[in-house]
Amino acid sequence: MATAYRTASAPTPPAPTTSTREPARSPPWCSPFSAREPQVRIELVRLRRWSQSTDLLDGTADVGFVRLPVDAERLRVLPLYQEGPCVVLPVRHPLAGEDTVGLRALADEPLLRYTGASPAWSAVRNADPRPDGTQWLRGPDVHDMEEILAYVRAGSGVVRVPESVAAVFPRPDIAYVPLTDVPPGTIALAWDGDRPSPLVDTFVDATRTTAPGVTRPTPGSAPAP
């Protein structure tokens, strides 16, 4: 899931809402912004990573820490860092004890489908279809991590998640195994380029000057580096 921060400013201009990647994990770049704009209150709003563009485009959130790609031409993105993917397996699965696993070894597994995910997002973030063009067996549709864990636990399917998601959802009956033949995902700051705001500009600049190796923003539909 992605999360969003809604910010509210005192009698001055409305503050940016900010969106971040995962539940219960706040990005470190909120503090530099707050140091520059101490009168602004930041509120957390949770987004789903497979439909994360929506709340940034409808104004629910003004700034978002999202997972690329975001398939909206209006969004601007500032790539920040990368993290590897894992496959979610029941602990009794024959591959659950492996150090790593490739997609070919999962050929006979049904794939859980994220409800509302675009085909472009599924192709990049869920390797659907696989890089060799083959299709997964269709598994149940899921809405959140609780449903993912329930279906995986029952043996109804597998799914790919980022390693940070695996870190915050440890379960004794669930195994997260790193995938070897899927490229890492990119975390980026995103915002609506057609809805200018001085506070959003401040947040973007604070993030750019805080995160090492960050360069200029790019359109939201650009591929992950």
Side-chain angles (χ1 to χ4, degrees):
M1 306 186 186
T3 5
Y5 290 99
R6 178 189 301 266
T7 61
S9 155
T12 41
T17 46
T18 3
S19 55
T20 60
R21 318 171 276 111
E22 301 303 335
R25 295 189 62 171
S26 300
W29 301 291
C30 292
S31 295
F33 170 78
S34 295
R36 298 189 188 191
E37 299 287 346
Q39 81 284 3
V40 174
R41 178 169 54 88
I42 299 177
E43 297 177 8
L44 181 65
V45 180
R46 182 177 295 184
L47 311 178
R48 300 187 189 280
R49 64 182 183 273
W50 52 93
S51 55
Q52 58 197 349
S53 302
T54 304
D55 284 347
L56 291 170
L57 292 173
D58 68 12
T60 299
D62 298 306
V63 186
F65 291 92
V66 300
R67 299 184 185 281
L68 296 186
V70 282
D71 53 352
E73 292 292 339
R74 282 170 50 189
L75 290 180
R76 303 286 290 172
V77 299
L78 186 67
L80 298 172
Y81 63 92
Q82 295 186 322
E83 64 176 356
C86 301
V87 62
V88 190
L89 300 172
V91 74
R92 65 181 182 278
H93 193 282
L95 298 174
E98 298 295 322
D99 293 332
T100 60
V101 66
L103 291 178
R104 188 180 298 275
L106 302 168
D108 296 329
E109 301 291 343
L111 181 71
L112 303 182
R113 311 288 174 135
Y114 292 105
T115 301
S118 69
W121 189 94
S122 294
V124 175
R125 300 303 305 156
N126 214 17
D128 181 22
R130 299 183 186 93
D132 63 3
T134 59
Q135 298 287 332
W136 292 85
L137 299 175
R138 186 173 184 87
D141 292 346
V142 294
H143 297 81
D144 51 38
M145 194 63 186
E146 287 71 22
E147 290 186 4
I148 287 174
L149 295 175
Y151 280 123
V152 170
R153 188 181 293 116
S156 301
V158 302
V159 73
R160 169 189 168 184
V161 299
E163 58 188 9
S164 63
V165 173
V168 296
F169 285 98
R171 298 291 188 277
D173 50 359
I174 295 291
Y176 298 96
V177 184
L179 286 164
T180 56
D181 49 1
V182 177
T186 299
I187 306 301
L189 182 68
W191 65 98
D192 186 348
D194 292 343
R195 189 159 43 90
S197 161
L199 286 173
V200 168
D201 292 343
T202 299
F203 199 101
V204 173
D205 185 64
T207 301
R208 184 187 294 112
T209 56
T210 301
V214 171
T215 55
R216 62 184 179 85
T218 60
S221 55

